[in-house]
Amino acid sequence: MVVVPYSYTEELDFSSTDSKLLPQNIEAEEAVLGGILLDPSAIYRVRDRLIPEHFFIGAHKDIYKACLSLCKKGEPTDLLSVTSWLLDHDLLARIGGRNKLATLLDRTVSAVNIDHQADKVIKKSKRRELIREGHRTIKLAYDENQDLVDIFSTVTNKIKAVIDTPVAPTKDEYQRWKHDRLLEEVTNIYTTVVEPSFRYFKLDELAKEHSRSTQFLEHLYLKSLTAVCSQLLTYEELKQLAGSTVREWLINGLVPKSTTILLAADGGVGKTKFTYGIAKVMIQGTQFGKFIATGEKRKILYYQGDESPGDMVQALQSLGYSESDIGPYVRVRFGWSAENMPALIQDLKEFQPDFVVIDSLSTANKYSVYQESQMEYARPILQMTGLATQYKTTFLIIHHTNREGGVRGTTAIRNAVSEVWTLTKDNSQTATPYDRLLEINKSRSRSSGKKYRMYFNPEDVSFTFLGEEPDQGSSVSEQSAKDALLEFFSKNRNIRFTSKELAHRLGYSDSHTRNSLLGLAADGLISAERREGYATNYFLVLESVTPQSFAIGQTEATEVESIVEYTSTPPAPHQHPTSTPHQHPTSTPPAPPTSTPPAPHQHPPPAPHRPKHSKRCRG
């Protein structure tokens, strides 16, 4: 046997504490029980936070149990009733007989300070708990038969339960503490554990620890997503919380910031290609018809589950995505599902996208245990709603329509998002197979119920904006004034004007100008800054100056490499429905409309077959 020199061993303090009494306050315990015997209503002030186990003296525990039992039955806790209960349960002799109860009552003058005395009893009990767990920890540390990881887990949970439990909680406070603690653990598992199988394992372990089921934990987490509520705010606090009253957009009137959008369409309509085009407008800072981007170089995150990598690349190249666009501003994941929500959170933190496309809700929920008709099916959308606000990003979730043309599945899907768009084919007699209608069915950022006509070019998978479907309540002159105002704002970005200033500049009446401005602001096409005591200022936001474009998927006046080569002579340019052959937009907007009513929109003919070529311009 090798003797280790004492100087080379760790010196621990093993001085005994056996001579010390455990923390206690006998006088406080007697004062609490005496107060209850003296004033039967006093027990209602302590019963939700003081439990029998908090008492140090065994007799006091039994007496308090008797008082709680009588209180639960609605019976008084006076001397006679408590004595009778203890006698019936063969406990009277054990607590010291009637003399013990009489002594408690004689020593008590009033029950006024019973709350303060109960707090003393509870705090001494917490100290004894810490001592008890400390001794258990020492014994566990000496136990070589137990795995060290298991010991760490046991000690952590025991000590955490002692430390985190409120010192003197009411029943509601204690339940709130248990709820918050469990929800924090569940949320941490759902948002940080990337591997689905390991996440389920941890949920199962947590459920066993709290004597719950994994289904209960699932519902608890879902309820937490739907029941978020702020504190009661005054009007001044509301204004401070809101900050600016000006609505923020990625694309004015179409894509709000920090929100969730559901785009529903039937198969084969082109919803994915439409989304690619919308995202390209944000990257290039251009516009789609009357919808003008508020800035450029927006970061786009695609979660693609419905298209293969090859199909996606082909579509993006056809739309004119250049390498400079794809590199810094676009990121893509394939095969993502809602079970990988921690991966999404990680991407939001690292890439910080402005716009996230989920294609589609069905593939994102492919591992869900819930049916599309069940409310729980919308859980990923509820999670994204919270993430949109937290990370200041906008989610566009692609989904399918039902036979009636509405959003497929439970109404919870529609209710969970802020915007609902539907993209459909135009089935009117004068329409071509490539005419599309985009309808804003629901919006919390702008007026809803508006329809916009578009044309889908199947060759380069781009969409061309043709105009808004006529509103029965608006006149031709009002639409003309709106067009003139919008074009004026596009040439004077970020400059604020009042209604009277604009009426004077454009030559319209004050009332006509004001009504047109209100309509543009309601549609989100311009911003309105309202201040109490001042005239409303109207303006068009621009976060960075960029060229303009009038069709999704069509680049500026630069040649773009195509994915195919010439095999014959270049084709004739595509004809715009209301203009001469295709021209690139310039930096100078067209002149404001005159008093002559504009010609109605005409549909372009079906896209002609184009011979293969290597280079072409799209404007």
Side-chain angles (χ1 to χ4, degrees):
M1 177 178 177
V2 178
V3 179
V4 180
Y6 180 77
S7 59
Y8 286 90
T9 62
E10 183 180 1
E11 185 175 354
L12 299 177
D13 182 11
F14 287 108
S15 57
S16 175
T17 58
D18 294 341
S19 60
K20 295 182 180 180
L21 292 175
L22 288 173
Q24 56 187 280
N25 193 324
I26 308 302
E27 292 79 7
E29 293 184 11
E30 291 178 340
V32 170
L33 296 176
I36 294 173
L37 293 172
L38 181 66
D39 181 3
S41 66
I43 192 172
Y44 293 98
R45 292 158 54 186
V46 298
R47 66 172 184 174
D48 287 338
R49 56 196 178 100
L50 184 65
I51 60 176
E53 289 72 17
H54 285 147
F55 289 87
F56 179 70
I57 303 298
H60 294 170
K61 293 181 182 180
D62 290 338
I63 295 171
Y64 188 62
K65 285 180 181 178
C67 295
L68 286 177
S69 180
L70 291 169
C71 177
K72 187 176 181 180
K73 296 177 181 178
E75 299 177 9
T77 58
D78 54 22
L79 179 61
L80 183 60
S81 299
V82 173
T83 302
S84 177
W85 191 95
L86 291 169
L87 183 61
D88 292 342
H89 291 79
D90 296 326
L91 295 174
L92 186 60
R94 192 169 79 170
I95 62 100
R98 291 182 174 85
N99 290 337
K100 172 65 176 178
L101 297 175
T103 302
L104 291 174
L105 190 58
D106 291 341
R107 291 179 179 177
T108 306
V109 178
S110 170
V112 172
N113 65 342
I114 192 172
D115 303 272
H116 180 60
Q117 298 298 335
D119 287 347
K120 290 181 179 179
V121 174
I122 294 172
K123 288 177 180 178
K124 293 296 183 182
S125 173
K126 296 295 290 186
R127 290 182 180 275
R128 295 196 299 272
E129 261 192 284
L130 280 174
I131 294 171
R132 187 184 306 115
E133 294 304 331
H135 280 277
R136 287 176 180 172
T137 301
I138 293 174
K139 290 181 179 180
L140 285 172
Y142 278 110
D143 188 355
E144 295 289 346
N145 293 323
Q146 289 202 48
D147 187 76
L148 195 58
V149 175
D150 293 335
I151 293 176
F152 286 161
S153 177
T154 301
V155 171
T156 300
N157 292 334
K158 293 290 186 181
I159 298 298
K160 185 178 177 62
V162 175
I163 295 175
D164 291 348
T165 307
V167 174
T170 63
K171 182 178 180 180
D172 286 344
E173 289 171 341
Y174 181 65
Q175 289 178 336
R176 167 56 64 180
W177 170 80
K178 289 178 64 178
H179 165 272
D180 292 347
R181 181 188 174 203
L182 180 57
L183 181 59
E184 181 182 358
E185 293 181 271
V186 173
T187 303
N188 182 64
I189 291 173
Y190 270 108
T191 58
T192 62
V193 182
V194 178
E195 189 179 354
S197 60
F198 186 48
R199 180 165 62 251
Y200 182 77
F201 174 82
K202 289 180 73 69
L203 282 173
D204 185 59
E205 289 286 304
L206 183 63
K208 292 176 182 176
E209 180 183 334
H210 290 268
S211 301
R212 304 285 183 176
S213 66
T214 54
Q215 186 178 18
F216 173 84
L217 299 183
E218 167 86 9
H219 283 287
L220 179 68
Y221 182 56
L222 178 63
K223 293 295 184 183
S224 73
L225 298 174
T226 59
V228 177
C229 179
S230 75
Q231 63 180 3
L232 186 64
L233 302 174
T234 65
Y235 182 59
E236 291 301 320
E237 290 171 335
L238 171 63
K239 291 193 293 184
Q240 184 177 1
L241 178 65
S244 172
T245 57
V246 178
R247 169 66 67 180
E248 294 186 306
W249 300 86
L250 293 172
I251 300 179
N252 281 300
L254 189 62
V255 183
K257 283 186 177 181
S258 305
T259 192
T260 48
I261 304 168
L262 186 75
L263 173 59
D266 200 1
V269 174
K271 52 187 178 295
T272 299
K273 308 302 185 294
F274 174 73
T275 305
Y276 291 161
I278 287 290
K280 180 169 174 281
V281 168
M282 298 181 205
I283 295 173
Q284 295 182 325
T286 54
Q287 70 185 81
F288 176 52
K290 62 170 69 177
F291 302 115
I292 304 172
T294 57
E296 62 177 352
K297 298 179 180 179
R298 304 291 191 187
K299 292 182 179 180
I300 313 298
L301 176 61
Y302 290 112
Y303 274 22
Q304 182 54 260
D306 285 7
E307 282 195 338
S308 67
D311 290 340
M312 184 175 185
V313 169
Q314 185 176 5
L316 294 179
Q317 288 184 346
S318 297
L319 286 167
Y321 275 63
S322 66
E323 288 299 322
S324 60
D325 291 332
I326 295 174
Y329 309 118
V330 175
R331 295 291 184 273
V332 183
R333 272 192 189 272
F334 287 89
W336 181 83
S337 74
E339 294 298 314
N340 300 116
M341 194 62 70
L344 171 59
I345 295 173
Q346 182 178 344
D347 289 344
L348 294 176
K349 290 178 181 178
E350 295 179 358
F351 184 52
Q352 299 179 358
D354 300 286
F355 190 61
V356 180
V357 178
I358 308 295
D359 190 9
S360 61
L361 179 60
S362 299
T363 53
N365 265 339
K366 58 187 174 183
Y367 299 120
S368 176
V369 297
Y370 300 103
Q371 300 296 320
E372 204 172 45
S373 58
Q374 294 178 287
M375 185 194 73
E376 289 83 358
Y377 191 84
R379 190 194 75 187
I381 305 179
L382 294 172
Q383 290 176 285
M384 292 175 203
T385 300
L387 294 174
T389 302
Q390 181 178 355
Y391 293 98
K392 301 185 185 305
T393 189
T394 293
F395 286 88
L396 187 146
I397 305 156
I398 296 178
H399 194 39
H400 299 88
T401 52
N402 53 31
R403 294 180 180 179
E404 292 74 30
V407 177
R408 199 175 73 186
T410 172
T411 55
I413 296 174
R414 177 186 173 91
N415 295 337
V417 296
S418 298
E419 313 281 321
V420 177
W421 304 350
T422 54
L423 183 63
T424 58
K425 292 182 179 181
D426 185 357
N427 294 321
S428 61
Q429 293 182 349
T430 58
T432 73
Y434 304 108
D435 281 298
R436 302 287 186 266
L437 290 174
L438 175 68
E439 183 173 1
I440 310 296
N441 297 111
K442 169 189 172 182
S443 177
R444 294 173 182 168
S445 304
R446 49 151 297 163
S447 57
S448 56
K450 296 293 184 73
K451 289 184 179 181
Y452 301 96
R453 188 174 295 279
M454 301 182 298
Y455 178 78
F456 173 62
N457 187 338
E459 183 159 340
D460 62 7
V461 296
S462 68
F463 280 79
T464 301
F465 183 87
L466 302 181
E468 181 182 344
E469 283 287 273
D471 187 351
Q472 295 180 355
S474 62
S475 62
V476 173
S477 60
E478 182 180 345
Q479 186 60 48
S480 176
K482 288 181 178 180
D483 292 340
L485 286 166
L486 196 56
E487 292 183 7
F488 176 82
F489 280 119
S490 68
K491 292 188 289 185
N492 298 276
R493 304 287 290 271
N494 287 337
I495 303 177
R496 287 155 169 77
F497 299 93
T498 65
S499 175
K500 287 190 175 182
E501 289 174 337
L502 292 166
H504 176 73
R505 286 172 177 263
L506 298 181
Y508 291 102
S509 67
D510 288 349
S511 61
H512 198 56
T513 303
R514 184 169 54 255
N515 291 336
S516 299
L517 288 168
L518 290 174
L520 290 173
D523 288 343
L525 297 171
I526 60 173
S527 296
E529 184 180 52
R530 297 176 174 86
R531 296 181 300 165
E532 187 175 355
Y534 295 89
T536 302
N537 285 322
Y538 299 92
F539 60 101
L540 188 60
V541 174
L542 177 64
E543 297 178 10
S544 61
V545 179
T546 55
Q548 298 181 10
S549 175
F550 293 92
I552 285 184
Q554 299 176 349
T555 62
E556 286 68 47
T558 56
E559 291 190 344
V560 180
E561 289 291 336
S562 176
I563 58 173
V564 290
E565 296 182 351
Y566 276 124
T567 55
S568 60
T569 57
H574 175 65
Q575 300 290 324
H576 189 274
T578 58
S579 65
T580 55
H582 226 49
Q583 297 178 354
H584 294 291
T586 63
S587 58
T588 304
T594 62
S595 58
T596 306
H601 287 296
Q602 299 174 2
H603 300 295
H609 174 71
R610 296 184 178 181
K612 296 182 179 180
H613 54 282
S614 59
K615 294 184 179 181
R616 64 184 179 201
C617 293
R618 305 191 193 100

